[in-house]
Amino acid sequence: MNIAGLVEKVQDKNLRRIGEKVLKGERLSPEDAIYLFYSSELAYIGTLAEYINRKKNGMFAYFIVNRQINPTNVCIYQCSFCAFGVTKSDPRAYEMSLEDILKKVGETYAQGGREVHIVGGIPHQWKAEDYVRLVREVKRAFPEITVKAWTAIEIHHMSKISGRSYEDILKELKDAGVEVLPGGGAEIFSERVRSIIAPYKANAQEYLEVHRTAHKLGIPTNATMLYGHVETYEERVEHMLKLRELQDETGGFQVFIPLAYWPEGTKLGGKRTSSVDDLKTIAISRLFLDNFEHIKAYWVTLGEKVAQIALNFGADDIDGTIEEEKIVHSAGTKSAYGHSRERLIKLIRDAQKIPVERDTFYRPVSIHS
């Protein structure tokens, strides 16, 4: 990649200055990131991002054989951006039995699955011990599978209803079998935006404190950003800046996952993000979050084709087989509910990358060169 030549030829002096910073390994400022969001030079931004990605990850693109479990869609928060959560009286309401959950985890384990990702609604009747018990039973039945469970929102809720600290809750979950926290619930950290889309959930400071505490306890976590609803570019950058600052402090984040908003069936409504916006967001996150090793192009929200392109715009991971994703499908995504290992390998190869099956902690399991 002749990045130096590309940077030298770009006409926009600010884009050239940003490109020179990238070549020198200098950290981009929030102002730099905002300028990139407003720029129309998508190919240039993507090329810079892919330059950084290849320095970090070479030609590897990661996936995992995993399963997502959504134990219930009953949720007390009823956020306006969400089409998944319903009230207990809603005819769409469901709650899976422990037997059904263990059966689904068992199916994935039998296929070589390495991870179960547990996240769902927050029902009013669940107590903190219910969340802990579910993890404990999954881990007891399948001790070799990695449990990635409960977002910062659920941890905060458990703390609030039990009167216990984040640290106490996380220690108990770790003892029960939680090995990593998913990144959901971050949405956008801006107070203005949260007051519109999720006024009752844990706020930015609480979300970040849960993750800070998890890192302190040796529990790695993921980070997300839901974009494409009512936020501004400036608020996206502010969100990423807070994550970058916490990562400087703790080093506990594994991956950043930009999540494209899907409006169908939500109270908030709106329009689907464009492919240009999706790719630009992936690329800028790779450039700005210099202390994150991995950027995920989540195929469920992006769709297969954009996820493939994103693997050449700074992303190095497309998530996994998933099996039965429900949350984004409730909001209208037309992506498959899950993919086979073979399908993910083909998607990555067709993007001219080397597929690497990984475990939850980005340790290679097998390289399909």
Side-chain angles (χ1 to χ4, degrees):
M1 301 174 73
N2 184 16
I3 300 299
L6 178 69
V7 170
E8 186 179 345
K9 291 178 181 177
V10 71
Q11 296 298 307
D12 185 306
K13 64 179 182 179
N14 284 319
L15 290 180
R16 189 182 315 120
R17 176 184 54 78
I18 291 170
E20 289 168 352
K21 290 176 78 170
V22 170
L23 286 173
K24 293 176 183 176
E26 296 177 4
R27 171 165 278 187
L28 298 192
S29 69
E31 293 74 24
D32 293 333
I34 291 168
Y35 193 85
L36 292 176
F37 269 116
Y38 281 103
S39 170
S40 60
E41 295 294 333
L42 178 63
Y44 178 79
I45 297 167
T47 303
L48 291 179
E50 185 58 15
Y51 168 74
I52 295 298
N53 177 41
R54 293 191 187 184
K55 286 183 69 176
K56 288 181 176 287
N57 299 293
M59 294 299 288
F60 288 166
Y62 297 93
F63 72 95
I64 188 170
V65 179
N66 64 345
R67 180 155 202 147
Q68 188 170 127
I69 299 286
N70 309 124
T72 180
N73 65 344
V74 176
C75 190
I76 61 174
Y77 289 121
Q78 299 298 295
C79 299
S80 64
F81 71 87
C82 178
F84 174 73
V86 299
T87 61
K88 190 175 182 179
S89 60
D90 192 294
R92 296 169 294 171
Y94 75 86
E95 182 173 338
M96 295 172 66
S97 68
L98 177 60
E99 292 73 19
D100 285 342
I101 291 171
L102 293 178
K103 180 181 177 183
K104 289 180 181 296
V105 177
E107 291 169 354
T108 300
Y109 183 70
Q111 298 168 9
R114 297 178 177 276
E115 173 189 284
V116 59
H117 176 174
I118 307 174
V119 62
I122 300 179
H124 72 279
Q125 74 272 19
W126 280 32
K127 302 184 183 305
E129 50 263 35
D130 295 319
Y131 295 88
V132 176
R133 182 167 54 249
L134 177 53
V135 170
R136 185 178 292 116
E137 293 301 323
V138 169
K139 195 66 176 177
R140 179 178 295 152
F142 304 98
E144 295 181 4
I145 206 160
T146 300
V147 176
K148 180 170 73 177
W150 311 133
T151 69
I153 304 305
E154 286 144 323
I155 305 299
H156 173 75
H157 178 74
M158 287 181 240
S159 172
K160 184 170 65 173
I161 62 176
S162 67
R164 299 165 61 199
S165 68
Y166 295 155
E167 184 168 349
D168 284 347
I169 293 292
L170 285 164
K171 281 181 176 177
E172 187 171 10
L173 285 168
K174 185 177 181 179
D175 289 343
V178 167
E179 296 173 72
V180 62
L181 298 190
E187 323 317 354
I188 290 286
F189 290 148
S190 160
E191 291 183 12
R192 180 193 73 84
V193 174
R194 293 184 90 82
S195 70
I196 298 170
I197 70 170
Y200 307 113
K201 291 171 80 166
N203 60 33
Q205 291 72 28
E206 290 160 340
Y207 176 97
L208 292 167
E209 187 58 33
V210 169
H211 284 263
R212 178 181 287 109
T213 305
H215 299 167
K216 173 185 171 185
L217 295 174
I219 305 171
T221 72
N222 298 345
T224 63
M225 177 179 72
L226 182 72
Y227 67 93
H229 38 86
V230 300
E231 87 289 352
T232 64
Y233 289 149
E234 288 80 1
E235 287 165 330
R236 292 188 198 179
V237 174
E238 175 192 23
H239 181 101
M240 291 191 288
L241 179 62
K242 290 182 184 296
L243 292 174
R244 191 171 78 175
E245 289 172 343
L246 182 55
Q247 183 74 330
D248 279 343
E249 177 187 334
T250 68
F253 286 119
Q254 295 197 121
V255 59
F256 176 66
I257 313 161
L259 298 171
Y261 170 62
W262 281 81
E264 187 177 312
T266 69
K267 297 187 184 85
L268 185 64
K271 295 182 179 179
R272 170 75 175 90
T273 59
S274 70
S275 298
V276 170
D277 194 14
D278 293 335
L279 293 171
K280 188 183 288 186
T281 303
I282 289 279
I284 294 171
S285 66
R286 175 64 287 164
L287 291 166
F288 189 70
L289 296 175
D290 53 9
N291 52 6
F292 278 66
E293 288 303 307
H294 304 286
I295 303 293
K296 183 179 292 187
Y298 187 41
W299 64 260
V300 174
T301 60
L302 295 177
E304 292 181 6
K305 293 182 186 296
V306 176
Q308 280 183 309
I309 299 170
L311 291 177
N312 286 283
F313 268 67
D316 65 287
D317 182 29
I318 60 171
D319 202 275
T321 52
I322 297 175
E323 302 288 347
E324 196 177 9
E325 198 283 333
K326 294 179 181 177
I327 296 175
V328 183
H329 281 85
S330 298
T333 180
K334 301 303 186 289
S335 298
Y337 280 87
H339 276 320
S340 67
R341 178 192 276 109
E342 293 71 28
R343 178 62 178 166
L344 293 176
I345 290 171
K346 185 177 188 307
L347 287 174
I348 293 170
R349 279 182 174 154
D350 287 351
Q352 305 300 306
K353 290 297 183 78
I354 299 170
V356 180
E357 182 178 343
R358 62 171 175 86
D359 67 7
T360 301
F361 309 101
Y362 285 87
R363 296 176 300 213
V365 173
S366 57
I367 299 173
H368 300 269
S369 55

